[in-house]
Amino acid sequence: MTATLTPVKKRSALTKGQLPKSAPYLVLGIALVLGAAILALIGFNALGWGLVSAIIFAIGLVGWSAAVEGSRRAKDKLATCLVVGAFLVALLPLFSVIWTVLVNGLPGLLDPGFLTTSMNGVTGSFDNKSVEEGAPVLGGIFHALIGTLLITVLATIISVPVGLLTAVYLVEYGNDRPLARAITFFVDVMTGIPSIVAGLFAAAFFFAVVGPGTKTGAVAAVALSVLMIPVVVRSSEEMLKIVPNELREAAYALGVRKWRTILKVVIPTAISGIASGVTLAIARVIGETAPILVTAGFATSINYNVFGGWMASLPTFIYTQILNPTSPSNPDPSSQRAWGAALVLIILVMVLNLGARLIARMFAPKTGR
Amino acid sequence: MSKRIDVKDLNVYYGKFLAVADVNINIEAKSVTAFIGPSGCGKSTFLRTLNRMHEVIPGARVEGEVLLDGDNLYGPGVDPVTVRSQIGMVFQRPNPFPTMSIRDNVLAGVKLNNQKMSKGEADVLVERSLQGANLWNEVKDRLAKPGSGLSGGQQQRLCIARAIAVEPQVILMDEPCSALDPISTLAIEDLINELKDQYTVVIVTHNMQQAARVSNKTAFFNIAGTGKPGRLIEYGDTHTMFSNPTQKATEDYVSGRFG
């Protein structure tokens, strides 16, 4: 009698009616096998396998959970499945892009001289030779890299002071005056300007001021500034707004003038956010193609002068290499160069994004005892 | 190094809203004056008019006179920045500059105004100010560390050190202990007692025991109801105010029978 009353291995009453910890992995394994089996019947492909397995997994896990744990937990599991699924769907294109560019771009990038030579003097006959006789692909992106860097740096030099000062006006002096509200409105409008329109504006502006057909790196930089300024204004404004008012009052109470307070207290406190905002704005415009096409033209030789002569850039280099291959009969070397340039561009943007994080961390107000 | 403040017929507005009406008060030099009263009665607002911090808020303005040793703070051509460098302020919540070290926080008033100062002079000023704020012994080995790493009470004393480093005539304190624990509060109260030997101190407090402990004179502010302006009800020696006030409202408030 007593022996039956003492359970040997009783599960805790608090964890009763729960799926084991390994349940999701178990269901995942079954779903993958079942998915493969179903796909084998109708012709196997990876995307279909993933999709079918995911559906089986969701149904299996939610159904099992409903049977054992009750409807509240089942709903929780369903929501988790949906969230994770959405996350995977969102990540898929990203990985696909990176993978494609890596696979196609690495041969070009690893070509000797790809980063250090320009396309000057590289003609179709070299490309024909490399395809027919296996000679190395000549030509590189040095001129485009220089162009992209110079144009972007100049655009940053123009945009950051304008954008930061606008943000300072809006936050520190605007007080919701009509002028401040108008600026906010037009900055929002500017955010929505299509990039080609910005390019046309810059081209037309220099056409009117300097002369017809002015295409230089500086024109492209102005076009990019038009795209960059609203982003810089917006991000700097947000960063300045979150500087606590107490710090401004603390400085005022010490007899510090308003402009010094802004310069030495407000901006230093917000500088990490501002700097990372600026870096993200740069990353946003560095890949612009259309405005550069109409403002800087394209070049095959190295041009260090942003104020004279046409200038190549990475996006326009990719565009021209694909659209007008150096050798029309053998476009493969051109497309190899284009993929290589695309890979370099992606790496640049990634480095800038990582840089933004580093900058944010470097400038962040230090804590510690 | 301290001046008296005389306020004549002061009305304080936020836009069109009259927040504090008809204040007449004489604040003695080298003494501690406490402002007490229920929340929203305008004592903080009034305090902020004494160094022209009130007008930092958009739409805020003042009518009347505030005389610092006879000079009207609100006279034509008076630069608020000059006023604030003579009348320092300590806020309710400790607000050291997060980007600066403890040392730089103390020197903020000097450095932010770009006054040149040799390292030796700066060291002397830092030590004197931190000594004055009873903080020197706690932080002398970590002056280069950020001020935000200190405890709340230490941060508040750092803010007091920062305020006295610019050598003001008057120090205004807006509920300096309301965010602090009793031990830190005691440290600040001891400090206020020492500060009154050199400075004119005006303190706003919700804590009547604190007013009784630290102040020489007490002013009681009250408000007739929401939307009505706050008024100075009674002003006198702290001892009299707490033991034998002339006004019924004061007696009700200090004895806890209020509302």
Side-chain angles (χ1 to χ4, degrees):
Chain A
M1 188 74 181
T2 47
T4 50
L5 279 176
T6 33
V8 188
K9 239 184 148 186
K10 182 178 167 278
R11 282 182 70 184
S12 160
L14 298 174
T15 61
K16 207 165 53 181
Q18 276 186 4
L19 291 185
K21 276 237 171 74
S22 57
Y25 306 103
L26 203 67
V27 178
L28 182 64
I30 295 169
L32 285 176
V33 173
L34 265 180
I38 293 172
L39 260 286
L41 293 177
I42 55 170
F44 189 83
N45 67 71
L47 190 67
W49 183 35
L51 208 62
V52 172
S53 304
I55 293 170
I56 296 175
F57 173 77
I59 294 172
L61 189 62
V62 172
W64 189 9
S65 173
V68 179
E69 297 180 324
S71 75
R72 188 180 67 82
R73 296 241 178 191
K75 277 183 228 157
D76 175 47
K77 292 255 178 347
L78 179 65
T80 310
C81 285
L82 287 177
V83 170
V84 173
F87 170 67
L88 290 178
V89 167
L91 273 191
L92 213 59
L94 176 68
F95 279 110
S96 173
V97 165
I98 291 177
W99 178 250
T100 315
V101 175
L102 262 180
V103 167
N104 291 305
L106 267 182
L109 187 60
L110 296 176
D111 227 22
F114 183 68
L115 290 175
T116 51
T117 58
S118 73
M119 289 300 288
N120 198 9
V122 179
T123 59
S125 61
F126 290 105
D127 280 1
N128 291 340
K129 220 191 218 168
S130 79
V131 172
E132 284 152 15
E133 300 169 20
V137 176
L138 291 177
I141 57 162
F142 184 70
H143 60 307
L145 202 55
I146 289 297
T148 287
L149 292 179
L150 286 178
I151 290 171
T152 314
V153 166
L154 187 60
T156 311
I157 291 174
I158 298 171
S159 318
V160 169
V162 175
L164 186 55
L165 289 174
T166 309
V168 166
Y169 172 77
L170 288 177
V171 176
E172 304 290 336
Y173 296 93
N175 285 344
D176 220 21
R177 288 198 194 112
L179 178 61
R181 264 179 291 160
I183 290 176
T184 309
F185 174 72
F186 284 115
V187 165
D188 284 346
V189 171
M190 257 176 105
T191 319
I193 289 182
S195 56
I196 182 75
V197 176
L200 288 174
F201 155 73
F205 179 72
F206 276 80
F207 182 95
V209 174
V210 182
T214 309
K215 282 193 177 181
T216 64
V219 185
V222 168
L224 291 190
S225 314
V226 172
L227 298 170
M228 226 176 132
I229 286 170
V231 183
V232 175
V233 172
R234 269 288 171 213
S235 62
S236 309
E237 193 188 350
E238 292 309 315
M239 288 303 139
L240 292 176
K241 263 188 198 159
I242 59 173
V243 173
N245 236 344
E246 298 165 5
L247 295 183
R248 296 186 182 95
E249 294 197 337
Y252 294 153
L254 291 170
V256 181
R257 295 204 177 274
K258 186 164 185 175
W259 70 272
R260 278 193 183 284
T261 304
I262 295 168
L263 201 65
K264 301 224 168 159
V265 174
V266 178
I267 291 182
T269 308
I271 191 72
S272 75
I274 293 172
S276 67
V278 166
T279 323
L280 290 177
I282 295 173
R284 155 89 180 68
V285 298
I286 202 169
E288 283 295 347
T289 320
I292 296 183
L293 268 180
V294 295
T295 50
F298 15 77
T300 54
S301 54
I302 300 164
N303 176 11
Y304 286 107
N305 183 5
V306 283
F307 298 105
W310 289 23
M311 210 169 202
S313 67
L314 284 172
T316 54
F317 176 85
I318 297 167
Y319 176 77
T320 47
Q321 284 291 310
I322 294 289
L323 214 64
N324 306 308
T326 315
S327 162
S329 52
N330 284 311
D332 284 354
S334 277
S335 86
Q336 183 189 325
R337 282 189 290 261
W339 280 110
L343 181 57
V344 171
L345 193 54
I346 286 191
I347 292 172
L348 268 182
V349 173
M350 278 190 168
V351 166
L352 279 173
N353 278 292
L354 285 178
R357 287 173 164 260
L358 274 181
I359 288 170
R361 193 168 302 168
M362 247 161 43
F363 283 119
K366 317 237 172 338
T367 50
R369 273 138 223 275
Chain B
M1 217 177 42
S2 72
K3 292 183 176 174
R4 56 180 287 119
I5 293 178
D6 300 286
V7 179
K8 287 183 186 164
D9 302 326
L10 196 78
N11 292 315
V12 190
Y13 294 88
Y14 287 107
K16 281 180 187 153
F17 174 66
L18 179 62
V20 182
D22 295 332
V23 178
N24 286 286
I25 194 170
N26 305 313
I27 296 166
E28 301 293 334
K30 292 196 181 179
S31 70
V32 179
T33 305
F35 293 170
I36 58 171
S39 290
C41 69
K43 49 193 193 306
S44 288
T45 301
F46 174 64
L47 186 79
R48 288 168 65 94
T49 61
L50 298 183
N51 70 340
R52 296 193 64 169
M53 283 297 287
H54 175 64
E55 62 204 47
V56 171
I57 298 159
R61 66 195 168 84
V62 164
E63 285 169 4
E65 286 187 340
V66 179
L67 304 174
L68 179 67
D69 264 8
D71 300 324
N72 186 8
L73 301 187
Y74 290 93
V78 173
D79 186 349
V81 172
T82 320
V83 171
R84 289 177 203 141
S85 63
Q86 297 206 16
I87 306 178
M89 190 161 192
V90 176
F91 296 86
Q92 187 171 0
R93 277 181 40 201
N95 52 1
F97 297 119
T99 52
M100 298 182 192
S101 66
I102 292 172
R103 183 189 147 90
D104 286 346
N105 260 292
V106 178
L107 293 174
V110 177
K111 284 199 164 177
L112 293 178
N113 280 322
N114 243 19
Q115 290 159 7
K116 293 281 172 280
M117 185 178 259
S118 73
K119 194 178 173 298
E121 286 174 308
D123 287 340
V124 172
L125 179 64
V126 169
E127 180 168 354
R128 194 178 61 217
S129 307
L130 287 172
Q131 295 271 21
N134 279 337
L135 191 62
W136 174 250
N137 287 329
E138 290 159 66
V139 301
K140 64 183 173 195
D141 299 323
R142 45 172 175 166
L143 291 175
K145 294 276 173 62
S148 44
L150 298 172
S151 76
Q154 289 173 326
Q155 286 187 20
Q156 192 63 295
R157 278 180 282 153
L158 178 60
C159 294
I160 294 174
R162 182 174 68 186
I164 59 183
V166 294
E167 290 168 358
Q169 310 288 342
V170 180
I171 297 178
L172 309 177
M173 297 187 174
D174 188 357
E175 298 180 39
C177 303
S178 64
L180 304 181
D181 68 296
I183 308 276
S184 306
T185 302
L186 186 65
I188 305 266
E189 284 179 9
D190 288 346
L191 177 57
I192 291 170
N193 255 323
E194 292 167 24
L195 287 176
K196 76 171 174 205
D197 298 337
Q198 285 189 53
Y199 305 96
T200 307
V201 179
V202 185
I203 176 172
V204 166
T205 177
H206 268 296
N207 183 331
M208 276 177 286
Q209 287 79 18
Q210 182 171 58
R213 281 193 299 262
V214 300
S215 68
N216 306 105
K217 290 191 125 187
T218 299
F220 172 62
F221 287 79
N222 201 357
I223 188 166
T226 33
K228 303 254 175 59
R231 286 172 196 278
L232 175 63
I233 303 296
E234 192 174 353
Y235 176 52
D237 282 340
T238 301
H239 184 72
T240 323
M241 288 286 283
F242 280 90
S243 58
N244 192 16
T246 52
Q247 300 287 325
K248 177 88 168 55
T250 314
E251 194 182 345
D252 286 353
Y253 187 74
V254 298
S255 58
R257 244 182 293 131
F258 197 80

